[in-house]
Amino acid sequence: MKFTATPIAGAFVVEIEPHADARGLFARTVCDDEFARHGLNARFVQQSISRSVGRGVLRGMHFQAAPHEEEKLVRVTGGAIWDAILDLRPASPSFRQWFGIELSSHNHAALYIPKGVAHGFQTLTDSAEVLYQMTAPYTPAAERGVLWSDPAFGIAWPLADPIVSARDQSHPLWQ
């Protein structure tokens, strides 16, 4: 696996190193030892999927509040998304900065998201399925979000006029 640091402290793009032959390919997607060498937690206690129907669907920006913060590994198993993360950790050198990357079932890349960093994505294809692996269980009372279009952050979403849920439209602006 190849780990590439992003501008967000503690966040990495994780790329597979496929072994291919006439039958297709094989690659590791998670290895505890490899993650540990990069200071990353690979002890995922929960996995979830989301399926979005329609190009331009936007989900985000979500995180879990203390003491239920989680690290996430996000990978696309069908279609393509533009994945965005936003650093909300006041003590971080990348506080209030965002990073975006295309993840797809073709490029097999994943994004490792540290605790305290909000996450969202926009679909680039008519259908997209996303696999989330988390280091802490989902806790509904700890669910938080910030508005995906908050001018305080200026996230440059790739597609205009996104399809956004009422819940995600109601997240507050950053103070």
Side-chain angles (χ1 to χ4, degrees), residues 35-97:
F35 274 63
R37 276 196 280 282
H38 291 87
L40 307 179
N41 183 2
R43 304 287 176 162
F44 301 111
V45 301
Q46 182 174 312
Q47 297 184 26
S48 301
I49 62 168
S50 70
R51 175 166 289 157
S52 300
V53 179
R55 186 172 185 265
V57 169
L58 193 147
R59 296 176 185 258
M61 298 293 293
H62 307 142
F63 64 98
Q64 285 203 157
H68 303 285
E69 303 101 332
E70 61 191 359
E71 289 116 341
K72 288 182 187 174
L73 184 66
V74 177
R75 177 180 312 280
V76 173
T77 57
I81 65 171
W82 187 80
D83 209 35
I85 56 176
L86 171 62
D87 194 342
L88 297 176
R89 303 166 294 177
S92 171
S94 53
F95 178 54
R96 292 182 53 173
Q97 293 179 30

